[in-house]
Amino acid sequence: MSAENLEATLREIRDRIEIEELLHLYAEMVDRREWHKMDQVFALEATIDYTSTGGQKGPFRETLAWLDRALESWPINLHVVSNLIIEFDGDEARTRCYYHAPMGRNTPDGRQFVITNGGRYLDRLVRTADGWRIVERVCDQTLMDGSLPEGYEIPS
């Protein structure tokens, strides 16, 4: 293998690791409500589409503010991302991955009320001076195990 091919291979390996870590950072940021990390995940012009969950679509800051309100009554979150596929096109990439997201809250009788959402995240990313960032995220929720509590409404 030539030095040039080796360098290209090593760069792709670094990029794949960085992108995988970025998707994990997103999940942890949401689960822990560490919204101060959003600029480490999203490009300034990024958008998010949560309409498949009954949520909002728009610029990432406004959409994550909605997500914070939507998760307020669900303090227990454990997002898992898996089955990651990355396709590169120079300094841009597209990713697809599955997500599995149990959400819970404690009930007055000491039990937990849990529902689980699942589906895919479809992302477009760009390489920036600070590393890879998501430019567009579409949440494609395909299942929900359990039902929302009676009278619960997803915030607007």
Side-chain angles (χ1 to χ4, degrees):
M1 178 178 284
S2 71
E4 186 176 294
N5 287 343
L6 178 60
E7 181 58 34
T9 299
L10 291 175
R11 180 177 178 173
E12 182 175 327
I13 291 169
R14 285 191 307 267
D15 288 342
R16 287 181 180 281
I17 292 169
E18 184 176 335
I19 289 171
E20 183 175 2
E21 288 178 352
L22 181 71
L23 300 182
H24 293 159
L25 178 61
Y26 166 84
E28 184 174 87
M29 175 190 73
V30 171
D31 290 347
R32 296 175 181 255
R33 314 304 196 269
E34 294 177 338
W35 305 118
H36 63 278
K37 293 182 179 180
M38 68 177 74
D39 290 326
Q40 296 172 41
V41 176
F42 293 96
L44 292 176
E45 70 276 18
T47 61
I48 306 174
D49 181 348
Y50 289 122
T51 55
S52 71
T53 68
Q56 294 187 351
K57 174 183 179 179
F60 79 98
R61 289 183 193 285
E62 296 163 18
T63 308
L64 290 176
W66 165 83
L67 184 60
D68 188 42
R69 290 189 308 276
L71 293 176
E72 188 174 334
S73 61
W74 300 96
I76 304 164
N77 299 102
L78 297 170
H79 286 75
V80 176
V81 293
S82 66
N83 298 48
L84 175 61
I85 297 173
I86 305 172
E87 297 170 343
F88 291 100
D89 185 9
D91 288 334
E92 294 187 6
R94 291 197 175 270
T95 65
R96 298 182 306 278
C97 67
Y98 293 159
Y99 74 89
H100 179 88
M103 301 177 0
R105 60 191 194 183
N106 295 321
T107 61
D109 63 3
R111 294 182 299 157
Q112 286 186 338
F113 184 89
V114 177
I115 62 172
T116 300
N117 299 307
R120 299 184 308 162
Y121 289 130
L122 309 169
D123 298 319
R124 188 168 55 88
L125 299 93
V126 64
R127 183 194 313 272
T128 72
D130 296 318
W132 287 94
R133 297 293 186 269
I134 297 171
V135 174
E136 178 183 31
R137 165 158 277 194
V138 175
C139 177
D140 178 24
Q141 181 175 305
T142 56
L143 66 86
M144 185 168 80
D145 184 19
S147 299
L148 294 172
E150 186 175 319
Y152 176 82
E153 291 187 27
I154 297 172
S156 55

